[in-house]
Amino acid sequence: MNIHEYQAKRLLQEYGVPVPRGYAATNSREVETAISHLGDDMIVVKAQIHAGGRGKGTFTDGYKGGVKVVKNREEAQEAANHMLDNTLVTAQTGPEGRKVQTLYFTEACDIDHEYYLAIVLDRETAQSVVIASTEGGMDIEAVAEKTPEKIIRVPISPTMGLRHYHCRRVAFALGFAGEQVKQFARILTGLYKMFWEKNAMLVEINPLVTTKQGQLIALDAKVSFDSNAIFQHPEIQQLRDLNEEDPKEIEASKHNLAYIALDGNIACMVNGAGLAMATMDIIQSFGGSPANFLDVGGGANEDQVTAAFKIILSDPNVKGILVNIFGGIMKCDVIANGIVAAAKNVEIKVPLVVRLEGTNVEAGKKILRESGVALTPADSLVQAAEIIVEQVKNAD
Ligand code: ADP
Ligand code: MG
């Protein structure tokens, strides 16, 4: 689960990490109030979307920059007028961009140098890793690609936790000395504590800057939480912004369906993540392209299958559906009844191919055959994929 920069900064502040003073706004009245809280001096106006690269982004109407450093309140108001409710395209949003529904106004900093600092969970080594670089800011991806030696990594064992020597090691690698080593150690300690206590998978400050006055301060923040642990943190759950999520995915999560929208035109309804992956692969190998990943789970019932059909059909790109269910825990006849009932409940106008396998498969196929629902039963995954790809092609 992701949160916005302004929310991440509030959390950082709770953990003692210095951030510039700032105010969020979601409508023109709040924009006015937010700006009035800041001095009539340099102000930074920042689009809040769950994607990075805003500084270098462009709005779909041609307005440049989702992060604007402006000279006074009037210019802040002007930038806000351009950004709010406009769609921002960045390297991370995809070409369709994201609608900006929240803005953040903060004090501007006199930047001396921009650093990168992050903690991520490294599943391979089962540790967290501190990642840091002297080359922070908007070109960090290029640094990682062209000069990876400028990025340092310090693994932190979960049993030991972050120790002072870790802080000093990173601080020295970044070239800090004297008072700044202490400031940096406080920041990294707070960052790690937050990472650990809130079950984060990523906390990233890019840039962490030194100001001309010698202070270290976090100017941008990104935090992702482990959604499997989110039930332990109701205060984090509250920060979820449904505006940033695909409505189809929100609906799916209500029905305990694992659904991810993709950009193809053949929808899949499958039980089990592995089978779902295999189904997507085989569609692709026959020259088709999957419209989604959808795992209805081991114990899928009629309600879930109905919800799954509705979600699939709300995607206008879907030109065909492949149902691939393995009756292991569930019996095929039960599933077939569910599919038939759901298909009758939801009007399906696109080709539907169903492949069942497993316990009571013959009874299941009989139910499908005699249902009167327009569908093509298939005997194998290969055959099912071949048929649906062909049918979708012919429908074009
Ligand atoms: P993104 O990473 O999405 O592009 P950032 O918040 O990192 O957005 O902002 C981009 C750049 O804008 C930063 O690298 C920094 O140079 C500048 N910037 C951001 N916030 C401030 C601020 N409060 N004061 C001065 N400059 C800022
Ligand atoms: Mg940034």
Side-chain angles (χ1 to χ4, degrees), residues 250-293:
I250 297 168
E251 186 61 24
S253 70
K254 281 190 205 153
H255 298 278
N256 271 329
L257 303 165
Y259 172 90
I260 296 161
L262 300 168
D263 49 17
N265 58 8
I266 299 178
C268 323
M269 189 191 307
V270 187
N271 64 341
L275 199 57
M277 301 296 279
T279 307
M280 287 158 52
D281 279 351
I282 204 146
I283 287 173
Q284 213 132 18
S285 83
F286 278 105
S289 124
N292 65 274
F293 169 100

Side-chain angles (χ1 to χ4, degrees), residues 44 46 53-55 67 106-109 111 114 206-207 219-220:
V44 190
K46 311 184 83 172
R54 296 163 301 167
V67 174
T106 81
E107 288 177 332
C109 262
I111 300 173
E114 302 197 12
N206 185 32
L219 290 199
D220 188 12

Side-chain angles (χ1 to χ4, degrees), residues 182-201:
K182 284 188 201 152
Q183 282 187 47
F184 180 80
R186 271 198 297 274
I187 289 173
L188 185 53
T189 305
L191 201 63
Y192 184 80
K193 194 157 186 272
M194 170 172 146
F195 177 85
W196 185 259
E197 289 182 357
K198 302 289 185 191
N199 290 102
M201 304 213 299

Side-chain angles (χ1 to χ4, degrees), residues 20-278:
R21 193 159 65 95
Y23 304 90
T26 59
N27 57 45
S28 51
R29 198 145 45 91
E30 287 175 13
V31 165
E32 249 175 66
T33 316
I35 293 174
S36 72
H37 285 316
L38 293 164
D40 197 15
D41 200 353
M42 303 290 280
I43 292 175
V44 190
V45 185
K46 311 184 83 172
Q48 300 294 288
I49 53 172
H50 285 184
R54 296 163 301 167
K56 288 191 166 175
T58 306
F59 289 87
T60 43
D61 66 354
Y63 185 73
K64 286 228 173 325
V67 174
K68 287 271 193 191
V69 184
V70 299
K71 285 201 279 299
N72 52 41
R73 285 180 183 156
E74 196 188 322
E75 287 186 10
Q77 180 66 57
E78 212 175 297
N81 293 345
H82 280 290
M83 288 187 198
L84 199 59
D85 293 329
N86 201 349
T87 300
L88 178 60
V89 181
T90 81
Q92 292 181 17
T93 60
E96 71 283 3
R98 286 280 176 85
K99 189 169 170 198
V100 176
Q101 304 186 62
T102 306
L103 293 177
Y104 190 48
F105 299 86
T106 81
E107 288 177 332
C109 262
D110 237 342
I111 300 173
D112 187 43
H113 189 83
E114 302 197 12
Y115 299 84
Y116 178 93
L117 179 64
I119 305 174
V120 296
L121 190 68
D122 179 12
R123 292 191 188 279
E124 229 154 77
T125 58
Q127 291 187 329
S128 40
V129 183
V130 176
I131 300 177
S133 178
T134 51
E135 312 301 307
M138 294 195 279
D139 294 318
I140 191 70
E141 281 85 6
V143 176
E145 201 175 303
K146 291 183 194 129
T147 47
E149 70 280 2
K150 291 194 170 155
I151 295 180
I152 50 171
R153 286 160 210 273
V154 178
I156 311 292
S157 138
T159 46
M160 286 243 296
L162 182 89
R163 296 302 169 104
H164 197 64
Y165 72 86
H166 292 124
C167 296
R168 289 161 55 87
R169 205 167 126 198
V170 184
F172 293 150
L174 294 178
F176 293 131
E179 176 58 28
Q180 287 187 336
V181 175
K182 284 188 201 152
Q183 282 187 47
F184 180 80
R186 271 198 297 274
I187 289 173
L188 185 53
T189 305
L191 201 63
Y192 184 80
K193 194 157 186 272
M194 170 172 146
F195 177 85
W196 185 259
E197 289 182 357
K198 302 289 185 191
N199 290 102
M201 304 213 299
L202 164 78
V203 291
E204 181 188 73
I205 302 181
N206 185 32
L208 171 73
V209 302
T210 45
T211 64
K212 296 258 161 62
Q213 296 76 31
Q215 299 301 309
L216 265 68
I217 178 160
L219 290 199
D220 188 12
K222 175 176 178 182
V223 185
S224 305
F225 301 94
D226 183 346
S227 43
N228 294 311
I230 217 81
F231 73 97
Q232 295 179 333
H233 307 286
E235 77 290 359
I236 301 292
Q237 210 156 10
Q238 273 184 4
L239 304 178
R240 187 167 169 198
D241 181 355
L242 295 179
N243 285 331
E244 292 290 322
E245 297 177 28
D246 185 328
K248 298 196 289 302
E249 290 174 15
I250 297 168
E251 186 61 24
S253 70
K254 281 190 205 153
H255 298 278
N256 271 329
L257 303 165
Y259 172 90
I260 296 161
L262 300 168
D263 49 17
N265 58 8
I266 299 178
C268 323
M269 189 191 307
V270 187
N271 64 341
L275 199 57
M277 301 296 279

